[in-house]
Amino acid sequence: MNKDFLSILDISREELINLIAHARKLKEERKVGVHTPVLAHKTLGMIFEKSSTRTRISFETGMYELGGHALFLNPKDMQLGRGEAIRDTARVMSRFVSAIMIRASRHDEVIEFATHSDIPVINGLSDREHPCQTLADIMTINEWLFRTEGIRVAWIGDGNNVCTSLILSTILTGMEVIIASPSEFAPKNEIVSEALRMGAKVRVVTDPGVAAADADVIMTDTWISMGQEEEVEQRKKIFMPYQVNSDLMSKAKPGAIVMHCLPAHRNWEITDEVIDSKRSAVWDQAENRLHIQKALLVRLLA
Ligand code: CP
């Protein structure tokens, strides 16, 4: 396995299968109170340039349950926030902690951290990718639908960072992704072309009904990511035809599931009726962040 986990493609298909198998074992063990301290005396430094609920809590709890420790670091409270170079911070942190998880505005910053760290660096969300989320999403699809090969996922809404990791993941999973976005919010052409060259199964359309037709999974995300708050009214107007509601769900396969990586704006990108329905895998999807990241931490650190 690579030193770092910055992109979903930093693992192979075989490594993904092994991570999911380990995560499922950890999930079962946790249910009966079994916690093996394989990461005793290891510390994860967690740098959050942006807010987080799931990523912070799942990594911190995960490290604790594995016998290790996690440090929450706000760049504003570090010299990083006063202009200390990323490369210097990375070198110094490498002398103190065992791994770094970073949520950064720019993917370049995550790469710079990894380049200058002697220890593993995990991307906890950047403007390019959210690979930890995609690991949990793949685990969840496996749990609910028992396979990924041939699964058709309809991504409805913003072609954002989570969408990029999902597109790239089809190279590992054999899933097919059809993205329905307003044209100005479609995933970047260069990302889609590069993914197709590498063997991804991805198609981009503008009609959400076309994407949802015969889908096994309907997946969506917020229309307003962190830092886009000033565009709320404009985005709401553009994205409203992309709402995941009962009408859109009726176009998918019977038994199709719905997923959302959260946080959700209820009744904007997804209605109450759908997120709270029996077809909603959303809460398992959130929980699985914990289990799959524990498996990832063990793989990188044990
Ligand atoms: N899905 C996700 O990354 O959630 P947080 O922003 O709460 O970490």
Side-chain angles (χ1 to χ4, degrees):
M1 188 151 167
N2 290 354
K3 172 179 92 63
D4 306 302
F5 184 65
L6 310 185
S7 164
I8 193 68
L9 292 183
D10 280 334
I11 54 170
S12 65
R13 179 186 282 252
E14 193 189 354
E15 284 162 345
L16 175 64
I17 291 167
N18 291 339
L19 277 181
I20 291 175
H22 189 198
R24 292 184 74 140
K25 182 170 175 277
L26 290 167
K27 188 171 181 173
E28 288 309 310
E29 287 177 352
R30 186 176 190 262
K31 276 187 200 155
V32 292
V34 173
H35 299 288
T36 312
V38 289
L39 297 188
H41 311 296
K42 306 261 184 187
T43 296
L44 176 70
M46 306 189 301
I47 300 173
F48 282 94
E49 279 184 21
K50 292 181 166 188
S51 309
S52 169
T53 296
R54 282 140 288 270
T55 305
R56 177 178 176 182
I57 297 173
S58 55
F59 269 110
E60 193 161 337
T61 305
M63 279 303 289
Y64 173 73
E65 290 183 358
L66 291 165
H69 174 62
L71 276 179
F72 173 77
L73 301 164
N74 183 338
K76 287 190 194 129
D77 300 329
M78 299 168 74
Q79 300 294 6
L80 196 56
R82 295 180 59 243
E84 185 169 12
I86 288 177
R87 65 179 63 189
D88 296 349
T89 308
R91 284 182 186 128
V92 170
M93 284 185 71
S94 298
R95 304 288 178 107
F96 295 139
V97 300
S98 321
I100 297 168
M101 189 242 80
I102 178 164
R103 168 167 286 193
S105 304
R106 292 190 3 252
H107 194 70
D108 292 356
E109 293 175 41
V110 180
I111 298 204
E112 198 177 343
F113 244 104
T115 305
H116 297 285
S117 297
D118 301 324
I119 54 175
V121 173
I122 299 169
N123 178 2
L125 184 141
S126 68
D127 59 346
R128 181 181 158 92
E129 278 204 56
H130 198 356
C132 294
Q133 182 63 56
T134 299
L135 284 181
D137 295 355
I138 297 166
M139 178 178 173
T140 308
I141 290 169
N142 260 302
E143 280 180 348
W144 278 69
L145 303 176
F146 311 108
R147 67 193 165 93
T148 54
E149 192 69 47
I151 289 291
R152 185 171 175 165
V153 181
W155 175 274
I156 311 291
D158 195 1
N160 62 11
N161 41 11
V162 184
C163 180
T164 297
S165 291
L166 177 68
I167 292 170
L168 296 174
S169 77
T170 64
I171 297 165
L172 308 177
T173 59
M175 294 194 297
E176 174 193 11
V177 179
I178 303 171
I179 296 147
S181 299
S183 46
E184 62 270 48
F185 294 103
K188 289 195 181 90
N189 279 338
E190 59 265 29
I191 287 175
V192 175
S193 315
E194 185 192 343
L196 283 168
R197 261 200 311 278
M198 290 190 287
K201 292 182 190 161
V202 55
R203 195 149 63 87
V204 181
V205 299
T206 50
D207 184 341
V210 169
D214 290 327
D216 299 286
V217 179
I218 303 279
M219 205 181 277
T220 189
D221 192 5
T222 179
W223 298 334
I224 296 119
S225 294
M226 287 175 275
Q228 298 168 340
E229 289 78 7
E230 284 176 12
E231 301 166 31
V232 171
E233 289 313 315
Q234 183 202 1
R235 281 177 170 258
K236 254 178 92 174
K237 207 164 142 196
I238 294 169
F239 279 109
M240 202 41 95
Y242 293 81
Q243 184 184 68
V244 174
N245 51 34
S246 297
D247 183 44
L248 192 74
M249 288 301 295
S250 72
K251 297 183 194 321
K253 278 190 186 148
I257 61 170
V258 68
M259 298 177 72
H260 188 313
C261 66
L262 303 174
H265 289 92
R266 282 171 171 261
N267 301 311
W268 292 12
E269 72 269 10
I270 190 165
T271 58
D272 282 343
E273 192 181 18
V274 171
I275 197 172
D276 294 327
S277 72
K278 287 198 172 110
R279 296 162 80 178
S280 171
V282 168
W283 318 111
D284 288 341
Q285 186 184 358
E287 179 188 330
N288 285 337
R289 293 288 303 274
L290 172 67
H291 310 300
I292 199 78
Q293 287 163 194
K294 282 169 74 177
L296 176 70
L297 288 164
V298 173
R299 188 69 191 83
L300 291 171
L301 287 176

PDB file of all heavy atoms in Angstrom, residues 51-56 103 125 130 133 226 261-263 289, ligand 1:
ATOM      1  N   SER A  51     -14.836  22.900   8.984  1.00  0.00           N
ATOM      2  CA  SER A  51     -15.654  22.205   9.989  1.00  0.00           C
ATOM      3  C   SER A  51     -15.849  20.733   9.639  1.00  0.00           C
ATOM      4  O   SER A  51     -15.746  20.354   8.473  1.00  0.00           O
ATOM      5  CB  SER A  51     -17.039  22.840  10.065  1.00  0.00           C
ATOM      6  OG  SER A  51     -16.925  24.211  10.226  1.00  0.00           O
ATOM      7  N   SER A  52     -16.188  19.959  10.655  1.00  0.00           N
ATOM      8  CA  SER A  52     -16.465  18.539  10.434  1.00  0.00           C
ATOM      9  C   SER A  52     -17.228  17.969  11.617  1.00  0.00           C
ATOM     10  O   SER A  52     -16.964  18.328  12.763  1.00  0.00           O
ATOM     11  CB  SER A  52     -15.159  17.764  10.272  1.00  0.00           C
ATOM     12  OG  SER A  52     -15.408  16.377  10.322  1.00  0.00           O
ATOM     13  N   THR A  53     -18.139  17.087  11.327  1.00  0.00           N
ATOM     14  CA  THR A  53     -18.765  16.269  12.382  1.00  0.00           C
ATOM     15  C   THR A  53     -18.288  14.825  12.223  1.00  0.00           C
ATOM     16  O   THR A  53     -17.595  14.275  13.080  1.00  0.00           O
ATOM     17  CB  THR A  53     -20.310  16.343  12.292  1.00  0.00           C
ATOM     18  OG1 THR A  53     -20.698  17.688  12.557  1.00  0.00           O
ATOM     19  CG2 THR A  53     -20.982  15.420  13.297  1.00  0.00           C
ATOM     20  N   ARG A  54     -18.628  14.196  11.090  1.00  0.00           N
ATOM     21  CA  ARG A  54     -18.349  12.785  10.891  1.00  0.00           C
ATOM     22  C   ARG A  54     -16.857  12.464  10.834  1.00  0.00           C
ATOM     23  O   ARG A  54     -16.389  11.516  11.469  1.00  0.00           O
ATOM     24  CB  ARG A  54     -19.011  12.278   9.597  1.00  0.00           C
ATOM     25  CG  ARG A  54     -20.497  12.034   9.733  1.00  0.00           C
ATOM     26  CD  ARG A  54     -21.234  12.478   8.506  1.00  0.00           C
ATOM     27  NE  ARG A  54     -21.255  13.920   8.459  1.00  0.00           N
ATOM     28  CZ  ARG A  54     -22.221  14.677   9.015  1.00  0.00           C
ATOM     29  NH1 ARG A  54     -23.237  14.095   9.577  1.00  0.00           N
ATOM     30  NH2 ARG A  54     -22.183  16.001   8.978  1.00  0.00           N
ATOM     31  N   THR A  55     -16.105  13.251  10.074  1.00  0.00           N
ATOM     32  CA  THR A  55     -14.691  12.922   9.875  1.00  0.00           C
ATOM     33  C   THR A  55     -13.931  13.045  11.194  1.00  0.00           C
ATOM     34  O   THR A  55     -13.174  12.151  11.577  1.00  0.00           O
ATOM     35  CB  THR A  55     -14.102  13.841   8.783  1.00  0.00           C
ATOM     36  OG1 THR A  55     -14.911  13.700   7.606  1.00  0.00           O
ATOM     37  CG2 THR A  55     -12.662  13.478   8.462  1.00  0.00           C
ATOM     38  N   ARG A  56     -14.194  14.132  11.907  1.00  0.00           N
ATOM     39  CA  ARG A  56     -13.496  14.322  13.177  1.00  0.00           C
ATOM     40  C   ARG A  56     -13.861  13.238  14.187  1.00  0.00           C
ATOM     41  O   ARG A  56     -12.999  12.604  14.782  1.00  0.00           O
ATOM     42  CB  ARG A  56     -13.819  15.700  13.761  1.00  0.00           C
ATOM     43  CG  ARG A  56     -13.147  15.852  15.110  1.00  0.00           C
ATOM     44  CD  ARG A  56     -13.352  17.187  15.761  1.00  0.00           C
ATOM     45  NE  ARG A  56     -12.739  17.153  17.089  1.00  0.00           N
ATOM     46  CZ  ARG A  56     -12.764  18.149  17.942  1.00  0.00           C
ATOM     47  NH1 ARG A  56     -13.353  19.277  17.616  1.00  0.00           N
ATOM     48  NH2 ARG A  56     -12.183  18.038  19.132  1.00  0.00           N
ATOM     49  N   ARG A 103      -7.826  17.941   6.552  1.00  0.00           N
ATOM     50  CA  ARG A 103      -8.951  18.468   5.744  1.00  0.00           C
ATOM     51  C   ARG A 103      -8.536  19.872   5.337  1.00  0.00           C
ATOM     52  O   ARG A 103      -8.373  20.754   6.186  1.00  0.00           O
ATOM     53  CB  ARG A 103     -10.242  18.494   6.572  1.00  0.00           C
ATOM     54  CG  ARG A 103     -11.349  19.277   5.902  1.00  0.00           C
ATOM     55  CD  ARG A 103     -12.708  19.044   6.539  1.00  0.00           C
ATOM     56  NE  ARG A 103     -13.216  17.729   6.187  1.00  0.00           N
ATOM     57  CZ  ARG A 103     -14.463  17.330   6.380  1.00  0.00           C
ATOM     58  NH1 ARG A 103     -15.343  18.145   6.933  1.00  0.00           N
ATOM     59  NH2 ARG A 103     -14.844  16.125   6.037  1.00  0.00           N
ATOM     60  N   LEU A 125     -10.644  15.235   3.177  1.00  0.00           N
ATOM     61  CA  LEU A 125     -11.452  16.046   2.244  1.00  0.00           C
ATOM     62  C   LEU A 125     -10.613  17.226   1.760  1.00  0.00           C
ATOM     63  O   LEU A 125     -10.035  17.964   2.559  1.00  0.00           O
ATOM     64  CB  LEU A 125     -12.753  16.575   2.871  1.00  0.00           C
ATOM     65  CG  LEU A 125     -13.701  17.346   1.927  1.00  0.00           C
ATOM     66  CD1 LEU A 125     -15.159  17.013   2.218  1.00  0.00           C
ATOM     67  CD2 LEU A 125     -13.506  18.833   2.096  1.00  0.00           C
ATOM     68  N   HIS A 130     -12.646  13.174  -1.735  1.00  0.00           N
ATOM     69  CA  HIS A 130     -12.997  12.783  -0.359  1.00  0.00           C
ATOM     70  C   HIS A 130     -12.910  11.254  -0.293  1.00  0.00           C
ATOM     71  O   HIS A 130     -13.922  10.559  -0.197  1.00  0.00           O
ATOM     72  CB  HIS A 130     -14.404  13.278  -0.028  1.00  0.00           C
ATOM     73  CG  HIS A 130     -14.714  13.312   1.444  1.00  0.00           C
ATOM     74  ND1 HIS A 130     -13.840  12.853   2.416  1.00  0.00           N
ATOM     75  CD2 HIS A 130     -15.815  13.759   2.120  1.00  0.00           C
ATOM     76  CE1 HIS A 130     -14.389  13.014   3.605  1.00  0.00           C
ATOM     77  NE2 HIS A 130     -15.576  13.561   3.456  1.00  0.00           N
ATOM     78  N   GLN A 133     -14.651   9.098   2.508  1.00  0.00           N
ATOM     79  CA  GLN A 133     -16.095   8.991   2.330  1.00  0.00           C
ATOM     80  C   GLN A 133     -16.412   7.883   1.331  1.00  0.00           C
ATOM     81  O   GLN A 133     -17.314   7.073   1.544  1.00  0.00           O
ATOM     82  CB  GLN A 133     -16.661  10.335   1.830  1.00  0.00           C
ATOM     83  CG  GLN A 133     -18.154  10.323   1.668  1.00  0.00           C
ATOM     84  CD  GLN A 133     -18.870  10.092   2.992  1.00  0.00           C
ATOM     85  OE1 GLN A 133     -18.652  10.832   3.943  1.00  0.00           O
ATOM     86  NE2 GLN A 133     -19.710   9.075   3.068  1.00  0.00           N
ATOM     87  N   MET A 226     -18.836  23.867   1.945  1.00  0.00           N
ATOM     88  CA  MET A 226     -18.230  24.881   2.811  1.00  0.00           C
ATOM     89  C   MET A 226     -17.477  25.908   1.962  1.00  0.00           C
ATOM     90  O   MET A 226     -16.735  25.547   1.045  1.00  0.00           O
ATOM     91  CB  MET A 226     -17.285  24.209   3.805  1.00  0.00           C
ATOM     92  CG  MET A 226     -18.038  23.446   4.881  1.00  0.00           C
ATOM     93  SD  MET A 226     -16.958  22.537   5.984  1.00  0.00           S
ATOM     94  CE  MET A 226     -16.716  21.019   5.083  1.00  0.00           C
ATOM     95  N   CYS A 261     -23.790  11.641   1.866  1.00  0.00           N
ATOM     96  CA  CYS A 261     -22.647  11.567   2.786  1.00  0.00           C
ATOM     97  C   CYS A 261     -22.806  12.488   3.992  1.00  0.00           C
ATOM     98  O   CYS A 261     -22.048  12.374   4.948  1.00  0.00           O
ATOM     99  CB  CYS A 261     -21.349  11.849   2.038  1.00  0.00           C
ATOM    100  SG  CYS A 261     -21.230  13.540   1.422  1.00  0.00           S
ATOM    101  N   LEU A 262     -23.791  13.405   3.950  1.00  0.00           N
ATOM    102  CA  LEU A 262     -24.095  14.322   5.051  1.00  0.00           C
ATOM    103  C   LEU A 262     -22.962  15.340   5.232  1.00  0.00           C
ATOM    104  O   LEU A 262     -21.825  15.016   4.927  1.00  0.00           O
ATOM    105  CB  LEU A 262     -24.352  13.568   6.358  1.00  0.00           C
ATOM    106  CG  LEU A 262     -25.489  12.521   6.302  1.00  0.00           C
ATOM    107  CD1 LEU A 262     -25.542  11.742   7.615  1.00  0.00           C
ATOM    108  CD2 LEU A 262     -26.841  13.189   6.032  1.00  0.00           C
ATOM    109  N   PRO A 263     -23.214  16.528   5.736  1.00  0.00           N
ATOM    110  CA  PRO A 263     -24.489  16.990   6.252  1.00  0.00           C
ATOM    111  C   PRO A 263     -25.480  17.297   5.126  1.00  0.00           C
ATOM    112  O   PRO A 263     -25.075  17.746   4.053  1.00  0.00           O
ATOM    113  CB  PRO A 263     -24.121  18.273   7.005  1.00  0.00           C
ATOM    114  CG  PRO A 263     -22.902  18.785   6.300  1.00  0.00           C
ATOM    115  CD  PRO A 263     -22.151  17.569   5.857  1.00  0.00           C
ATOM    116  N   ARG A 289     -18.055   5.127   8.223  1.00  0.00           N
ATOM    117  CA  ARG A 289     -16.836   5.941   8.248  1.00  0.00           C
ATOM    118  C   ARG A 289     -15.913   5.436   9.360  1.00  0.00           C
ATOM    119  O   ARG A 289     -14.695   5.333   9.185  1.00  0.00           O
ATOM    120  CB  ARG A 289     -17.171   7.428   8.484  1.00  0.00           C
ATOM    121  CG  ARG A 289     -17.924   8.123   7.365  1.00  0.00           C
ATOM    122  CD  ARG A 289     -17.051   8.365   6.140  1.00  0.00           C
ATOM    123  NE  ARG A 289     -15.861   9.128   6.430  1.00  0.00           N
ATOM    124  CZ  ARG A 289     -15.789  10.464   6.451  1.00  0.00           C
ATOM    125  NH1 ARG A 289     -16.854  11.178   6.178  1.00  0.00           N
ATOM    126  NH2 ARG A 289     -14.639  11.082   6.710  1.00  0.00           N
TER     127      ARG A 289
HETATM  128  N1   CP B   1     -19.301  13.521   5.168  1.00  0.00           N
HETATM  129  C1   CP B   1     -18.416  14.243   5.874  1.00  0.00           C
HETATM  130  O1   CP B   1     -17.206  14.304   5.571  1.00  0.00           O
HETATM  131  O2   CP B   1     -18.937  14.818   6.989  1.00  0.00           O
HETATM  132  P1   CP B   1     -18.222  15.936   7.864  1.00  0.00           P
HETATM  133  O3   CP B   1     -18.045  17.153   7.002  1.00  0.00           O
HETATM  134  O4   CP B   1     -19.158  16.169   9.028  1.00  0.00           O
HETATM  135  O5   CP B   1     -16.888  15.404   8.328  1.00  0.00           O
END
